[in-house]
Amino acid sequence: MLSTFAKAFRTPDLRRKLLFTMMIMVLFRIGSAVPTPGIDYNEVHNASSAALEDNDLLGLINLFSGGGLSQLSIFALGIMPYITASIIVQLLRVVIPRFETLHKEGQAGQTKLTQYTRYLTLGLAVLQSTTVLTTARSGALFGNTESNIIPDQSVWMLVLMVLTMTAGTGAIMWMAELITEHGVGNGMSLLIFTSIVAGFPSSIWSIFGGSNGLANTVVVLIVFIAVIGLITFVEQSQRRIPVQYAKRMVGRRTLGGSSTYIPIKINMSGVIPVIFASSILSLPAMLSQFGDRSGGWQAWVGLYFNQNTPLYLVLYAVLVIFFAFFYTSITFNPDEVADNMKKYGGFIPGIRAGRPTAEYLGYVINRITTPGSIYLAIVALIPSILFIAIHVNSNLPFGGTTLLIIVGVGLDTVKQIESQLQQRHYEGFLR
């Protein structure tokens, strides 16, 4: 492995891409520590230190922003507005025919959809930054603290802060696209990876510094490695449906006559169902931050609707399974695949082209998605159950969402490096 990395760095083009990617990741981390103008950094630091231990929602958002939210930095929103915008645009394909048409137009259509995603990202950044700053000014963001986080609360200062955070989101989006275009791997995925991994050292140290620190640290690391192995195995597993293309004459040329396959992954929806489920279950906790938390429905939410209760875990698993089927049905259309196969003379051996092929593909997708959704639910629940068992704070970067992202991004990046090494006749990572 080390020798292969050495070969990759000895390749001039690949070395430049790797160094460029690392430089952008470093700039992203620096921006996550630069406070937004108008913020009293000392007050934010004192308030967030206590809040991160008691607020599950704040800990989750802070994790995905690379610690930027806890410091109200210029990158406080992280990549969440872009992720949300991308998911919304993808879901809108179902209800807006124009979006579906653009999706089928190839590169030109994808460019237009990307442009819509950028505009929506900036709009969501304005909305989210306004919400974050309003909540911080009221003291609810950091657990109803009495600290004066924003000394100057004039309208112009708040507008400047909103514009700064929105510009920070735009800068993150730009840096991610630079990595995708000039670096190695998917830029947005690598920035998410950077945000998560940045919290590992402090989290391991916090476990080690607690009660039964050494034993708990060993247990967490063993489970961590085992879950990563499970995710790696499942994410690379796929069902291959054979496809045969009939020979046909186009002018004087004979086309077709080849055999290929449709690869269907066990987990076609990726990490999206876990993110959706976490987001929905976080809404009651977020709403309970406002008002009197000592009584009424806010007290009930705080007592029975947190990550350490059976009700939360059961609802979490049910939502993950539901969204796995929902998102797979949106991203994989059996009718569209069957029509494309029929158009180019392809067929599945033993299955008639057209409607029978679509029905067969739908049957296979449902059979594959069932164990895939159960696998997602298990991966999402194992870390939470472990932390409850050993009495460790659950706001650590070892949850199901983070582990799925880490493994997925790692595998994708390694495959891209492997592909570029093979183009230069080098021995790659994968055998």
Side-chain angles (χ1 to χ4, degrees), residues 286-322:
M286 181 180 65
L287 295 176
S288 67
Q289 296 293 320
F290 303 93
D292 184 13
R293 302 179 63 186
S294 60
W297 67 272
Q298 293 95 334
W300 184 88
V301 168
L303 184 62
Y304 296 104
F305 212 78
N306 60 72
Q307 297 185 19
N308 298 326
T309 61
L311 174 63
Y312 181 95
L313 297 178
V314 171
L315 289 177
Y316 191 24
V318 171
L319 286 175
V320 168
I321 294 174
F322 168 77

Coordinates of all heavy atoms in Angstrom, one line a residue, residues 286-322:
M286 N -35.3 20.1 18.0 CA -35.0 21.5 17.6 C -36.2 22.4 18.1 O -35.9 23.5 18.7 CB -34.8 21.6 16.1 CG -34.5 23.0 15.7 SD -34.3 23.1 13.9 CE -35.9 22.7 13.3
L287 N -37.4 22.0 17.9 CA -38.6 22.8 18.2 C -38.7 22.9 19.8 O -39.2 23.9 20.3 CB -39.8 22.2 17.7 CG -39.9 22.2 16.1 CD1 -41.2 21.5 15.7 CD2 -39.9 23.6 15.6
S288 N -38.3 21.9 20.5 CA -38.4 21.9 21.9 C -37.4 22.9 22.6 O -37.5 23.2 23.8 CB -38.2 20.5 22.5 OG -36.8 20.1 22.3
Q289 N -36.4 23.4 21.8 CA -35.5 24.4 22.3 C -36.2 25.7 22.6 O -35.7 26.5 23.4 CB -34.3 24.6 21.3 CG -33.5 23.4 21.0 CD -32.7 23.0 22.2 OE1 -32.1 23.8 23.0 NE2 -32.6 21.7 22.4
F290 N -37.3 25.9 22.0 CA -38.0 27.2 22.1 C -39.1 27.0 23.1 O -39.9 26.0 23.0 CB -38.6 27.7 20.8 CG -37.5 27.9 19.7 CD1 -37.2 26.9 18.8 CD2 -36.8 29.0 19.7 CE1 -36.2 27.0 17.9 CE2 -35.8 29.2 18.7 CZ -35.5 28.2 17.8
G291 N -39.3 27.9 24.1 CA -40.3 27.8 25.1 C -39.8 27.2 26.4 O -38.6 27.0 26.6
D292 N -40.7 26.9 27.2 CA -40.4 26.3 28.5 C -40.1 24.8 28.4 O -41.0 24.0 28.1 CB -41.6 26.6 29.5 CG -41.2 26.1 30.9 OD1 -40.1 25.8 31.2 OD2 -42.2 26.0 31.7
R293 N -38.9 24.4 28.6 CA -38.5 23.0 28.5 C -38.7 22.2 29.7 O -38.5 21.0 29.8 CB -37.0 22.9 28.1 CG -36.6 23.7 26.8 CD -35.1 23.6 26.6 NE -34.7 22.2 26.3 CZ -33.4 21.8 26.2 NH1 -32.5 22.7 26.2 NH2 -33.1 20.6 26.0
S294 N -39.2 22.9 30.8 CA -39.5 22.1 32.1 C -40.9 21.5 32.1 O -41.2 20.8 33.1 CB -39.3 23.1 33.2 OG -40.2 24.2 33.2
G295 N -41.7 21.8 31.2 CA -43.1 21.3 31.2 C -43.7 21.2 29.8 O -43.1 21.6 28.9
G296 N -44.9 20.5 29.8 CA -45.6 20.4 28.5 C -44.9 19.4 27.6 O -44.2 18.5 28.0
W297 N -45.2 19.6 26.3 CA -44.6 18.6 25.3 C -43.1 18.7 25.2 O -42.5 17.8 24.8 CB -45.3 18.9 24.0 CG -44.9 20.2 23.3 CD1 -45.6 21.4 23.5 CD2 -43.9 20.4 22.4 NE1 -44.9 22.4 22.8 CE2 -43.9 21.8 22.1 CE3 -42.9 19.6 21.9 CZ2 -43.0 22.4 21.2 CZ3 -42.0 20.2 21.0 CH2 -42.0 21.6 20.7
Q298 N -42.5 19.9 25.5 CA -41.1 20.0 25.4 C -40.4 19.1 26.4 O -39.4 18.5 26.1 CB -40.6 21.5 25.7 CG -41.1 22.5 24.7 CD -42.3 23.2 25.0 OE1 -43.2 22.6 25.8 NE2 -42.6 24.4 24.5
A299 N -41.0 19.0 27.6 CA -40.4 18.1 28.6 C -40.6 16.6 28.2 O -39.7 15.8 28.4 CB -41.1 18.3 30.0
W300 N -41.7 16.3 27.5 CA -41.9 14.9 27.0 C -40.9 14.6 25.9 O -40.3 13.5 25.9 CB -43.3 14.8 26.5 CG -43.6 13.4 26.0 CD1 -44.2 12.4 26.8 CD2 -43.5 12.8 24.7 NE1 -44.3 11.2 26.1 CE2 -43.9 11.5 24.8 CE3 -43.0 13.3 23.5 CZ2 -43.9 10.7 23.7 CZ3 -43.0 12.5 22.4 CH2 -43.4 11.2 22.5
V301 N -40.6 15.5 25.0 CA -39.7 15.3 24.0 C -38.3 15.1 24.6 O -37.5 14.2 24.2 CB -39.6 16.5 23.0 CG1 -38.4 16.4 22.1 CG2 -40.9 16.5 22.2
G302 N -37.9 15.9 25.6 CA -36.6 15.8 26.2 C -36.4 14.5 26.9 O -35.3 13.9 27.1
L303 N -37.6 13.9 27.5 CA -37.5 12.7 28.3 C -37.5 11.4 27.5 O -36.8 10.5 27.7 CB -38.6 12.7 29.3 CG -38.6 11.6 30.3 CD1 -37.4 11.6 31.2 CD2 -39.9 11.6 31.2
Y304 N -38.4 11.4 26.4 CA -38.7 10.2 25.7 C -38.2 10.2 24.2 O -38.3 9.2 23.6 CB -40.2 9.8 25.7 CG -40.7 9.6 27.1 CD1 -41.5 10.5 27.7 CD2 -40.5 8.4 27.7 CE1 -42.0 10.3 29.0 CE2 -41.0 8.1 29.0 CZ -41.8 9.1 29.6 OH -42.3 8.9 30.9
F305 N -37.8 11.3 23.8 CA -37.5 11.4 22.3 C -36.0 11.9 22.1 O -35.7 12.9 21.4 CB -38.4 12.4 21.7 CG -38.7 12.1 20.2 CD1 -39.7 11.1 20.0 CD2 -38.1 12.7 19.2 CE1 -40.0 10.7 18.7 CE2 -38.4 12.4 17.9 CZ -39.4 11.4 17.6
N306 N -35.1 11.2 22.7 CA -33.7 11.4 22.5 C -33.0 10.1 22.1 O -33.6 9.1 22.1 CB -33.0 12.0 23.7 CG -33.1 11.1 25.0 OD1 -32.4 10.1 25.0 ND2 -34.0 11.5 25.9
Q307 N -31.7 10.2 21.7 CA -31.0 9.1 21.2 C -30.8 7.9 22.1 O -30.4 6.9 21.7 CB -29.7 9.5 20.6 CG -29.8 10.6 19.5 CD -28.4 10.9 18.9 OE1 -27.4 10.2 19.1 NE2 -28.3 12.0 18.3
N308 N -31.1 8.1 23.4 CA -30.9 7.0 24.4 C -32.2 6.3 24.7 O -32.2 5.5 25.7 CB -30.3 7.6 25.6 CG -28.9 8.2 25.4 OD1 -28.2 7.8 24.5 ND2 -28.6 9.3 26.1
T309 N -33.3 6.5 24.0 CA -34.6 5.9 24.4 C -34.9 4.9 23.3 O -34.6 5.0 22.2 CB -35.7 6.9 24.5 OG1 -35.8 7.6 23.2 CG2 -35.3 8.0 25.6
P310 N -35.6 3.8 23.8 CA -36.1 2.8 22.8 C -37.0 3.3 21.7 O -37.0 2.9 20.6 CB -36.8 1.7 23.7 CG -36.2 1.9 25.0 CD -35.9 3.4 25.1
L311 N -37.9 4.3 22.1 CA -38.8 4.9 21.1 C -38.0 5.5 20.0 O -38.4 5.3 18.8 CB -39.7 5.9 21.8 CG -40.6 6.7 20.9 CD1 -41.6 5.8 20.2 CD2 -41.3 7.8 21.7
Y312 N -37.0 6.3 20.3 CA -36.2 6.9 19.3 C -35.5 5.9 18.4 O -35.5 6.1 17.1 CB -35.1 7.8 19.9 CG -34.3 8.6 19.0 CD1 -34.6 9.9 18.6 CD2 -33.1 8.0 18.4 CE1 -33.8 10.6 17.7 CE2 -32.3 8.7 17.5 CZ -32.6 10.0 17.2 OH -31.8 10.7 16.3
L313 N -35.0 4.9 18.9 CA -34.2 3.9 18.2 C -35.2 3.1 17.2 O -34.8 2.8 16.1 CB -33.5 2.9 19.1 CG -32.4 3.5 20.0 CD1 -31.8 2.4 20.9 CD2 -31.3 4.2 19.2
V314 N -36.4 2.8 17.7 CA -37.3 2.1 16.9 C -37.8 2.9 15.7 O -37.8 2.5 14.5 CB -38.5 1.6 17.7 CG1 -39.6 1.1 16.8 CG2 -38.1 0.5 18.7
L315 N -38.1 4.2 16.0 CA -38.6 5.1 14.9 C -37.4 5.3 13.9 O -37.6 5.5 12.7 CB -39.0 6.4 15.5 CG -40.3 6.4 16.3 CD1 -40.6 7.8 16.9 CD2 -41.5 6.0 15.4
Y316 N -36.2 5.4 14.4 CA -35.0 5.6 13.6 C -34.9 4.5 12.6 O -34.7 4.7 11.4 CB -33.8 5.7 14.5 CG -32.5 6.2 13.8 CD1 -32.6 6.9 12.6 CD2 -31.3 5.9 14.3 CE1 -31.4 7.4 12.0 CE2 -30.1 6.3 13.7 CZ -30.2 7.1 12.6 OH -29.1 7.5 12.0
A317 N -35.0 3.2 13.1 CA -34.9 2.1 12.2 C -36.0 2.0 11.2 O -35.8 1.7 10.0 CB -34.9 0.8 13.0
V318 N -37.2 2.3 11.6 CA -38.4 2.3 10.7 C -38.2 3.3 9.6 O -38.5 3.1 8.4 CB -39.7 2.5 11.5 CG1 -40.9 2.7 10.5 CG2 -40.0 1.3 12.4
L319 N -37.8 4.5 10.0 CA -37.6 5.6 9.0 C -36.5 5.3 8.0 O -36.6 5.6 6.8 CB -37.4 6.9 9.7 CG -38.6 7.6 10.3 CD1 -38.1 8.8 11.1 CD2 -39.6 7.9 9.3
V320 N -35.4 4.7 8.5 CA -34.3 4.3 7.6 C -34.8 3.3 6.6 O -34.5 3.5 5.4 CB -33.1 3.8 8.4 CG1 -32.1 3.1 7.5 CG2 -32.4 4.9 9.2
I321 N -35.5 2.3 7.0 CA -36.0 1.3 6.0 C -37.0 1.9 5.0 O -36.9 1.6 3.8 CB -36.7 0.2 6.8 CG1 -35.7 -0.6 7.7 CG2 -37.4 -0.8 5.9 CD1 -36.3 -1.7 8.6
F322 N -37.9 2.8 5.5 CA -38.8 3.5 4.6 C -38.1 4.3 3.6 O -38.4 4.2 2.4 CB -39.8 4.3 5.4 CG -40.6 5.2 4.6 CD1 -41.7 4.8 3.9 CD2 -40.3 6.6 4.5 CE1 -42.5 5.6 3.1 CE2 -41.1 7.5 3.7 CZ -42.1 7.0 3.0

